[in-house]
Amino acid sequence: MNATINSFMNQPDERGHFGQFGGRYVAETLMPLILDLEREYRAAQADPEFHAQLDDLLKHYVGRPSPLYYAERLTEELRKDAPAGKGAQIWFKRDELNHTGAHKINNCIGQILLAIRMGKTRIIAETGAGQHGVATATVCARFGLPCVIYMGAKDVERQQPNVFRMKLLGAEVIPVTSGANTLKDAMNEALRDWVANVHDTFYIIGTAAGPHPYPELVRDFQSVIGKEARAQMLSRINRLPDLLVAAIGGGSNAIGLFHPFLDDSDVAMLGIEAAGHGLDKEHAASLAGGRPGILHGNKTYLLQDEDGQIAEAHSISAGLDYPGIGPEHSWLKEIGRVRYDSVTDTEALEGFQLLCRTEGIIPALEPSHAIAAVAREAAKMDRDQIILANLCGRGDKDIFTVAEALGEKM
Ligand SMILES: Cc1ncc(COP(=O)(O)O)c(C=O)c1O
């Protein structure tokens, strides 16, 4: 299918399926909670006061709308090596300028408002890079709710600045030492906590995955990225971009950018998975190297061994180090509306340095994957064409990892 989706098809069915993907494969104890959450979300969607409160917080607390930025020097730099007449114009949606430094806060604000509507008094979350943990701890401090963050022990190690930030914000950070000590294991622990504490606890999931209605509601809260970008493009240059690019961990910033453009048949979309050390070695590219299975309450593409055991993911970027992907992306891949490709650790490091040098912006390692892909794509596109990429996080949290990878002493 090619770029002719009707908007009614951009929603999951009533049991949360995007085609064969999604759904709600959860323990019986969780089912009433998931259904409660869905009921509350539908009520909130229809409540103008909920939207007014959300919009107010996004504007005055998060700092939205985030700017839309034409990266002129990066465009020129990439044109130097492009074939004659090639070298698309590169624009960025600057979601790294949000309060807390990434897109994760968009979703956390929405979910904590739902938690409060539901009368929940305790918040839990999982985190990989720590950005979702920081955003969750932030909204918990803002609304005065206790907060427990599950984080893989390996991620605690490589994302120290964010661990300290969460503690400063009053959260309890619990290092998880099962499996590979990363995001998948943190999410398992958070789900266990939730089952044990369903009466008072709300689980703020950080990406467009998990059981229905999470993939849908996280997508909706992150769609502010694409809605703003679409309006900003039209008002700045009176046209839409030719290609959207975003990095994918679980897929929330990507679906947030893509979703409001799905009906624009002339806008192509490219999701970038982490190819780690290479697709034939350790990586985190679930679409490129996985097959459908069930994890964390939904059916989607997963990295697995021959027996169906979930395989460990690897990426230099803690936020992309997840062996699954949100179910809507699996569906968008299957119907051919979005193209998916991957970028290695080494290429992402090049993208990281390129943006620092050309634009004076230090990106997180997650969007550095998108930047590397932008460089690749721009060389194939004409000069009057436009690429819009999501700069979903800033790089402060990653400078130690990058220094080590580049052999610099800190
Ligand atoms: C800055 C940043 N970008 C991207 C991601 C990946 O998440 P998602 O694919 O849900 O946007 C993360 C996850 O921690 C992140 O911190």
Side-chain angles (χ1 to χ4, degrees):
M1 179 164 177
N2 203 356
T4 50
I5 301 179
N6 299 317
S7 50
F8 72 89
M9 289 175 64
N10 298 335
Q11 301 298 340
D13 69 16
E14 72 282 0
R15 284 175 23 257
H17 289 102
F18 298 91
Q20 62 158 312
F21 301 106
R24 40 187 169 218
Y25 300 86
V26 294
E28 242 171 83
T29 20
L30 274 188
M31 201 59 188
L33 222 91
I34 297 282
L35 294 175
D36 260 7
L37 173 61
E38 189 180 3
R39 250 189 310 275
E40 197 58 51
Y41 183 52
R42 298 290 168 234
Q45 280 177 308
D47 180 358
E49 240 176 70
F50 177 83
H51 291 285
Q53 198 182 5
L54 181 63
D55 291 349
D56 187 76
L57 284 161
L58 288 177
K59 181 168 179 193
H60 300 293
Y61 190 65
V62 175
R64 304 208 71 93
S66 67
L68 178 77
Y69 172 68
Y70 175 43
E72 201 175 339
R73 286 201 70 234
L74 175 62
T75 301
E76 288 310 321
E77 182 66 23
L78 292 174
R79 281 179 179 172
K80 286 182 191 159
D81 295 326
K86 300 288 178 190
Q89 296 166 35
I90 298 162
W91 292 66
F92 288 113
K93 181 64 174 156
R94 303 281 312 271
D95 252 51
E96 98 282 11
L97 293 176
N98 293 337
H99 179 40
T100 71
H103 64 295
K104 297 286 179 183
I105 189 104
N106 303 327
N107 166 50
C108 289
I109 293 273
Q111 286 201 49
I112 201 153
L113 292 182
L114 287 179
I116 292 164
R117 281 176 75 102
M118 293 175 82
K120 301 296 179 188
T121 53
R122 175 177 177 264
I123 301 292
I124 59 169
E126 86 296 336
T127 196
Q131 287 304 114
H132 174 59
V134 167
T136 304
T138 298
V139 297
C140 286
R142 167 67 181 73
F143 287 94
L145 292 180
C147 175
V148 174
I149 305 289
Y150 290 95
M151 186 170 190
K154 182 174 162 191
D155 293 334
V156 168
E157 200 61 35
R158 58 181 170 171
Q159 299 289 327
Q160 275 298 322
N162 275 344
V163 174
F164 188 54
R165 249 176 231 139
M166 287 182 260
K167 289 183 179 167
L168 285 174
L169 292 160
E172 182 188 354
V173 180
I174 301 186
V176 174
T177 51
S178 56
N181 303 347
T182 59
L183 182 56
K184 156 179 75 69
D185 316 297
M187 201 155 173
N188 284 336
E189 273 320 303
L191 281 164
R192 258 178 229 132
D193 178 316
W194 202 23
V195 171
N197 297 291
V198 282
H199 54 288
D200 67 349
T201 297
F202 189 99
Y203 179 13
I204 299 190
I205 293 186
T207 192
H212 179 66
Y214 279 104
E216 179 189 343
L217 68 85
V218 173
R219 174 201 75 193
D220 291 349
F221 291 136
Q222 291 295 0
S223 289
V224 67
I225 301 170
K227 282 182 195 155
E228 280 177 12
R230 197 175 180 286
Q232 287 167 321
M233 271 279 162
L234 290 174
S235 96
R236 291 271 297 276
I237 53 171
N238 199 27
R239 57 161 295 196
L240 294 179
D242 299 283
L243 175 67
L244 304 176
V245 182
I248 295 188
S252 71
N253 87 86
I255 200 70
L257 175 66
F258 296 167
H259 199 260
F261 290 91
L262 281 178
D263 291 332
D264 296 307
S265 53
D266 292 336
V267 179
M269 300 178 194
L270 176 62
I272 298 297
E273 298 189 297
H277 297 311
L279 289 180
D280 54 345
K281 302 190 184 80
E282 297 148 304
H283 63 84
S286 335
L287 291 176
R291 58 182 202 280
I294 290 167
L295 179 68
H296 298 144
N298 69 100
K299 182 176 179 189
T300 191
Y301 272 83
L302 301 169
L303 297 180
Q304 15 185 338
D305 65 18
E306 302 87 67
D307 300 327
Q309 293 297 318
I310 301 304
E312 302 305 347
H314 163 80
S315 168
I316 190 170
S317 143
L320 304 186
D321 202 346
Y322 182 63
I325 183 165
E328 193 165 0
H329 286 291
S330 294
W331 178 69
L332 289 168
K333 171 194 159 71
E334 199 166 270
I335 63 171
R337 176 64 183 96
V338 177
R339 183 160 61 92
Y340 294 87
D341 200 350
S342 59
V343 155
T344 63
D345 289 352
T346 308
E347 291 168 323
L349 277 167
E350 282 163 15
F352 176 98
Q353 295 172 84
L354 179 65
L355 195 71
C356 290
R357 278 197 322 270
T358 56
E359 295 292 343
I361 298 172
I362 301 178
L365 280 170
E366 291 83 7
S368 297
H369 287 70
I371 295 158
V374 161
R376 220 189 259 165
E377 295 298 314
K380 295 184 239 164
M381 293 168 65
D382 295 337
R383 289 186 172 216
D384 61 353
Q385 290 190 294
I386 291 175
I387 300 178
L388 169 59
N390 194 26
L391 218 47
C392 53
R394 64 174 191 236
D396 322 28
K397 70 182 176 60
D398 292 319
I399 54 173
F400 300 102
T401 307
V402 172
E404 196 186 320
L406 298 180
E408 296 275 340
K409 286 222 169 66
M410 291 272 284

